[in-house]
Amino acid sequence: MAPAFPPWSTRNMITPSLPRKTLAAHNLSKSYGPVRALADVTFDIPSGQAVAIMGPSGSGKSTLLHCLSGILVPDAGEVSLGGESVSGLKDKHRSLLRRRRFGFVFQDGQLLPELPARENVALPLLLTGIPRNRALKTADEWLGKLGLAGMENRRPGELSGGQAQRIAIARALIHEPEVVFADEPTGALDQATGHEVMQILTATTASSGASLVVVTHDDEVARWCQRLIEIRDAMVHDDQLISRSTR
Amino acid sequence: MSVAVTLAPRLAIERIRATKGAGVLDAMAVLAFTVSSWLALTVAGGTWMFFQRWQVEGALSSSQQSGLAVTYVALAGFACALLVIPILGLGGGAARLGARGRVRRLASLRLIGMTSGEVVRISVIETIVQSVVGALLGSAIFVFSLPLWQLLSFQMRPIGIAELLLPWWLWLMVIGALVVLAMASTVLGLRRVTISPLGVARDQTPRRLKRWRLLVVAALVIAFLLYAQFTDIASLIGLVTTVGFLAVVIGSINLVGPWLMQLVARPGARTSNVARLLAARRILDDPRGAWRNVASLAFLGFIAGFVVTMPTTTGDSGPNTFFVHDIQTGVAITLALGLVLAATATLMTQASQVFDRAPESIALDRMGVPATIHLAVRRRLVVVPLAVALGTSVPLGLVLSTVAAVQLESFPVVGVSLLAGTVILGFLLSLGAAEACRPLQDGVLRVQRRRND
Ligand SMILES: Nc1ncnc2c1ncn2[C@@H]1O[C@H](COP(=O)(O)OP(=O)(O)O)[C@@H](O)[C@H]1O
Ligand SMILES: [Mg+2]
């Protein structure tokens, strides 16, 4: 099933036939002083797959996500995207990689408070040098797609928690990333809003063709993913595909 | 109180060990206390000098000269008045900064069972320690900088070191005022920190400031120009009303300042350049705050622009010649001190912004935004308000004085270049302060924060 990019997609313009890429973790280990946060973790995420990462607090989920996305460098092991090393890159190049090819949604505190919604969303495009008018037009389209039409000029403080997370989702997707990373994106929301946000996150990520790695505490959230990886004590405890019937 | 007193030294030692962000904030607080007490002592010393010269001279010489000596005291007092607000602002800001640096540690003290009253008392004690250390350092710098003042002369007499030295009771009063203010600011600062951290954006979209502000000021300026044309400054009433009117015009700068900030920042909000966009949005978020940081500089700039064109070589000899020269020197000194104050305030504001905005900058870093963007934003946040304040006030002062008060015989090249040089140095100092926040920013980004996992 070929992913359908929206007509304004920058990917259509820049890289019409980008080969889809696998994100691979190979024997990852990471410690903070005496604390072992990751111990020999290995798995692949094929392109387009939505993976939920679950596990008790302190088990190493965030550390894993940060290593996968090139925010942290593992002490041992390697992360690669389409066969190219991520963890081996220099700081600057990992930054560039995150900016260009990854999208991020965090729990909170990530939207810039002085910027109206549309500028928050347009930020990744502006950072790659796309002119303001085009960036804002694309941002408005994304806001419309996420049910936020009419809120383009509101600032984060004037939005509800769920709306703010949808802004963050739009921002994570606007530059057509290959992988979207989300660390407890619904952690600060009530359950109903959380589920709504999770549904939107998985649906929009899927329709843009990106892979999704989402850390969550919520059992039900995993329903919208294709695969569930459970982390316990810094290791992969369980890794299973979620069959369609249960989704 | 006794718990607090016994705990405070131990806490101080603990803080010296924990040289993370909070330690840097404490150091900056001490630095700000140092600068504010140094400048407060300097200004007070200058006023004291004129006061003494008046006391001595007044007894010896004619009533006319005694009158002039009083004028010096009054003008020095005026300079004090212009600087006292930024000096107190710096002291208060230092106290709040220190308080913010320790707010998290204080929160954990509350968790282990201390009452909030005890926590506030501990914090006040720490502030006293910081401000007293700053006051001693400031006094030392004051004393060591005294010989430099000998290079300048007032009333055709070089400044003597002994003249600037304050008697102990005056020294104690100046320092005491700063320490008391710091204590008050700490209590307030802690309260505000617990409710909402200072310096963080407001939730609401800021409302635009209206254009009537500009119209009011323009009307006042025009009215002043007309009035000055038809008034005889030589008469006492003429002089008093002109000066009074001028004071109103100066005060009205405060009305137009925030509007100007907004005007200058607005194009930045329509740019594709992210650093420029962020800086512009932050200024637009709080144009009044941006103005407040430079308001006293605007007054000083206005006055400096106003007096720089005064002719020092008028036909009549005698006191008038050195009087104008002395006014120009005094204004230049006041402006220079104001610029030092502004740079120190910049350092404090920007440093605490680094910590206030840590979650935001960490999120940007994770998204892959280069860390250099923060420095670029900070540079703009420093330069733009300064440029607005001085870029409008100095020319305004120049224009008003040339049109209204003084008949220019020749353009005062030396005076204007000195003024320009002072202003440029002030800019560089403030830019340096922005640059000095860089290691703090890097430190904030390096620490992988652990948040609610
Ligand atoms: N910056 C850090 N410094 C020290 N220890 C850390 C740091 N970040 C995480 N840890 C520790 O590493 C372990 C895994 O943390 P984390 O990956 O955040 O877990 P999770 O996201 O699953 O709650 C925990 O024991 C945590 O205390
Ligand atoms: Mg976590």
Side-chain angles (χ1 to χ4, degrees), chain A residues 56-63 66 183-184 215 217, chain B residues 451-453:
Chain A
S57 180
S59 55
K61 307 181 295 296
S62 295
T63 307
H66 290 168
D183 195 348
E184 301 195 23
V215 169
H217 266 321
Chain B
R451 306 181 60 208
N452 43 29
D453 39 347

Side-chain angles (χ1 to χ4, degrees), chain B residues 243-256:
Chain B
V243 169
F245 206 151
L246 193 61
V248 172
V249 173
I250 294 176
S252 72
I253 295 181
N254 254 342
L255 212 55
V256 81

Side-chain angles (χ1 to χ4, degrees), chain B residues 217-430:
Chain B
V217 176
L220 276 172
V221 168
I222 291 168
F224 173 78
L225 291 179
L226 289 175
Y227 181 81
Q229 291 296 318
F230 299 109
T231 310
D232 177 18
I233 313 186
S235 75
L236 183 65
I237 295 182
L239 184 68
V240 169
T241 50
T242 305
V243 169
F245 206 151
L246 193 61
V248 172
V249 173
I250 294 176
S252 72
I253 295 181
N254 254 342
L255 212 55
V256 81
W259 182 84
L260 276 176
M261 288 292 164
Q262 186 186 263
L263 185 76
V264 170
R266 193 163 305 122
R270 291 189 291 266
T271 167
S272 307
N273 176 332
V274 175
R276 190 169 166 219
L277 176 70
L278 292 182
R281 285 287 180 206
R282 284 198 204 163
I283 292 175
L284 289 176
D285 183 59
D286 188 12
R288 286 189 185 86
W291 176 255
R292 213 178 301 121
N293 290 338
V294 292
S296 57
L297 275 185
F299 298 144
L300 292 173
F302 178 86
I303 296 168
F306 197 91
V307 301
V308 78
T309 55
M310 287 184 175
T312 42
T313 50
T314 42
D316 65 310
S317 60
N320 279 346
T321 314
F322 72 76
F323 183 58
V324 170
H325 167 266
D326 285 355
I327 284 189
Q328 289 172 341
T329 312
V331 167
I333 292 173
T334 315
L335 179 63
L337 297 187
L339 286 166
V340 171
L341 272 170
T344 317
T346 296
L347 181 65
M348 279 204 325
T349 326
Q350 295 303 324
S352 56
Q353 290 265 312
V354 167
F355 289 97
D356 284 344
R357 292 179 179 275
E360 183 184 317
S361 57
I362 288 173
L364 286 178
D365 182 56
R366 288 181 176 167
M367 283 166 58
V369 178
T372 46
I373 201 156
H374 303 296
L375 184 62
V377 171
R378 254 196 306 280
R379 281 197 192 125
R380 287 172 187 279
L381 285 176
V382 168
V383 167
V384 170
L386 262 186
V388 170
L390 293 172
T392 54
S393 65
V394 175
L396 187 66
L398 274 169
V399 167
L400 285 197
S401 70
T402 32
V403 175
V406 194
Q407 276 77 47
L408 258 196
E409 280 147 24
S410 65
F411 188 73
V413 181
V414 178
V416 170
S417 358
L418 271 179
L419 178 59
T422 311
V423 166
I424 289 171
L425 277 180
F427 265 87
L428 292 180
L429 213 51
S430 280

Side-chain angles (χ1 to χ4, degrees), chain A residues 44 74 95 97 110 116 125 129 144 194 218-219 224 235 238:
Chain A
D44 282 1
S95 253
L97 179 82
Q110 50 183 327
L125 295 186
D218 187 342
D219 283 326
W224 293 289
M235 288 186 279
D238 191 24

Side-chain angles (χ1 to χ4, degrees), chain A residues 57 66 71-72 95 98-99 104 106-109 112-116 119 126-127 131-132 155 158 171, chain B residues 201-206 269-272 274 277-278 281 285 357 360 365-370 451-453:
Chain A
S57 180
H66 290 168
I71 293 171
L72 286 178
S95 253
R98 297 202 294 275
R99 187 157 83 233
F104 291 91
F106 303 111
Q107 189 174 64
D108 53 15
L112 301 181
E114 293 90 354
L115 261 49
E119 285 177 6
L126 293 175
L127 283 166
R132 175 178 172 86
R155 306 205 313 173
E158 299 169 302
R171 187 187 59 184
Chain B
R202 288 175 295 167
D203 284 347
Q204 306 289 303
T205 308
R270 291 189 291 266
T271 167
S272 307
V274 175
L277 176 70
L278 292 182
R281 285 287 180 206
D285 183 59
R357 292 179 179 275
E360 183 184 317
D365 182 56
R366 288 181 176 167
M367 283 166 58
V369 178
R451 306 181 60 208
N452 43 29
D453 39 347

